[in-house]
Amino acid sequence: MMVSDITVPMLLDYIREDSTDTAVANQVKLMYRAAVSFVRNYTGQSAQYIDRYEEFAPVVLALVADMYDTRSYHVDNDKLNPFVQSVLDMHRCNFI
């Protein structure tokens, strides 16, 4: 599965949210966008690049779950899940 294949129903299922409230779905959609943006900014890669590698899908899912659990659209670099950080570091551009 690629990042672009992730749907709101998939995200709701992943975070174990049973609500059919559109407000919850809209929040999760925003968190998805924030997660993708975080991945792009952290790695320095384009959306097309991120969508070429399947390992980014679980990263986005994990980031959305973390954001949903903390009810925050913010990700702290120093508190990243080790798996997430490992994948992102493998694809990070060298900015030197």
Side-chain angles (χ1 to χ4, degrees):
M1 172 174 53
M2 302 304 187
V3 171
S4 63
D5 296 332
I6 298 172
T7 63
V8 172
M10 286 172 141
L11 290 167
L12 291 170
D13 185 51
Y14 187 78
I15 62 173
R16 297 182 179 155
E17 177 59 61
D18 296 331
S19 174
T20 57
D21 186 6
T22 55
V24 173
N26 288 337
Q27 276 185 325
V28 169
K29 205 181 301 185
L30 287 173
M31 290 174 183
Y32 167 80
R33 290 183 191 141
V36 171
S37 179
F38 178 80
V39 169
R40 290 188 60 214
N41 288 325
Y42 188 100
T43 62
Q45 301 292 355
S46 68
Q48 293 80 12
Y49 178 92
I50 291 167
D51 209 37
R52 263 187 264 151
Y53 297 93
E54 289 185 348
E55 61 260 38
F56 285 116
V59 166
V60 169
L61 291 172
L63 289 170
V64 170
D66 287 346
M67 284 187 253
Y68 187 78
D69 289 345
T70 61
R71 300 301 193 270
S72 171
Y73 296 96
H74 176 73
V75 177
D76 288 325
N77 283 351
D78 61 335
K79 296 178 184 170
L80 276 178
N81 172 315
F83 165 75
V84 169
Q85 186 167 7
S86 174
V87 171
L88 295 179
D89 285 346
M90 286 189 304
H91 293 274
R92 195 170 194 178
C93 290
N94 187 351
F95 293 110
I96 295 176

